[in-house]
Amino acid sequence: MDYIEFHSEVPTNLSTMVMAFGGWIDAGEAATGAMRHLVRHLSAPRLASIDPEAFFIFTQERPEARMTSDGNRAIRWPRSEFYTWQPPGGQPGMLLFRGMEPNQLWRTYSNMFLDLVEQCGVKRIVSIGALLAGSPHTRPTRVTGRSTDPEWQVLMEDWGIYRRPSYQGPTGISTILLEAAHQRGISSLSFMGQAPHYLQVTSNPSVIQALLTHVNRLLGLGLDVSRLDAAVEAFRTKCDQLVANDPSTQSHVQQLEQEYDSESDEEPDALDSEELNSDQLMQDLENFLREEREGES
């Protein structure tokens, strides 16, 4: 594992893993945002980091310059980190991962990634993601699920969210990893949240909360996801205000509401929002979210 830096001794009793990648399937930064909350709420310590040098093209995924509290400049490189959580009572623990989708050497990355996963004793992986879809922000966030584990598949069917895989086309690193994991005998489940395609914002608390709710329910983590209620309410209120000031977007949202209310549970394809141009709405929402984050710091 030449590309991994370890920060503590590797445990071998982490039977379950939850992972989230930024980039390809992380609409509204919902997957990585949910993982950030999960790590924080579980107080999960860092286990290991992946060296970004071999896997990222830094002109595509650029490092960031940050000012420190003492007035110096620090460089923040793309982060890919593993965390661990050990529940009370000696029960099997959980491995957590959050990182950006790598730019290159995917097969090398996958083998390295899964070697560590197997070393930790992982038998099943939960992958969380989010796509842009024709879902209005005025309705509950839809989350779909699929699994290679028969028991988990039955559970998804009972919840009414199971979707048989049907997508064909370009794919992301999470799909590559889960396919490679399947070849190693590791089962998996994928949760996919649906973010409104007309709200391509940096952070969507509604989808974050929906993904956390499903992971919490699946794994029985006992998280208090209501902590996000205020952020979700503020986000929806601001969206309502901005949409009301944009007649074309307002009309589009009303159409999506009708489709949402009349649709079966078919999972839509990911959208790129080219059909709707609402740049000012996006800018206003970005400003609002930035102010919210600054107010929390």
Side-chain angles (χ1 to χ4, degrees), residues 24-193:
W24 178 256
I25 300 293
D26 190 26
E29 295 185 358
T32 52
M35 182 58 68
R36 184 166 51 250
H37 282 277
L38 191 59
V39 169
R40 183 183 302 126
H41 293 338
L42 294 176
S43 299
R46 188 172 54 164
L47 170 66
S49 303
I50 298 176
D51 184 349
E53 187 75 17
F55 303 107
F56 289 90
I57 299 173
F58 295 133
T59 54
Q60 296 182 21
E61 188 62 41
R62 291 185 180 273
E64 295 183 358
R66 300 287 183 89
M67 298 304 297
T68 62
S69 58
D70 58 6
N72 294 316
R73 191 187 308 276
I75 301 300
R76 180 174 179 178
W77 299 91
R79 293 183 179 181
S80 301
E81 297 178 319
F82 296 87
Y83 302 84
T84 62
W85 177 67
Q86 297 284 359
Q91 298 298 315
M94 186 165 63
L95 181 65
L96 307 170
F97 175 83
R98 178 167 62 94
M100 288 300 299
E101 181 179 67
N103 302 125
Q104 58 187 11
L105 299 179
W106 280 20
R107 284 179 288 190
T108 300
Y109 185 96
S110 298
N111 287 329
M112 170 203 64
F113 190 100
L114 292 174
D115 285 347
L116 175 56
V117 167
E118 286 189 319
Q119 185 178 346
C120 291
V122 170
K123 302 300 182 185
R124 56 186 188 175
I125 298 175
V126 178
S127 174
I128 56 177
L131 53 78
L132 294 172
S135 299
H137 72 277
T138 54
R139 297 293 187 268
T141 298
R142 281 176 171 160
V143 175
T144 60
R146 57 188 54 150
S147 179
T148 63
D149 182 279
E151 293 184 3
W152 272 354
Q153 179 175 324
V154 170
L155 196 59
M156 297 301 96
E157 292 171 347
D158 290 344
W159 293 0
I161 67 170
Y162 175 74
R163 300 294 177 272
R164 187 180 302 278
S166 61
Y167 172 76
Q168 299 183 88
T171 194
I173 189 63
S174 58
T175 300
I176 301 299
L177 279 169
L178 293 183
E179 178 60 27
H182 179 70
Q183 299 301 319
R184 297 191 185 206
I186 302 173
S187 60
S188 64
L189 182 148
S190 297
F191 283 126
M192 189 66 66

Side-chain angles (χ1 to χ4, degrees), residues 10-28:
V10 179
T12 58
N13 67 332
L14 308 180
S15 61
T16 301
M17 177 183 189
V18 183
M19 69 178 191
F21 282 92
W24 178 256
I25 300 293
D26 190 26

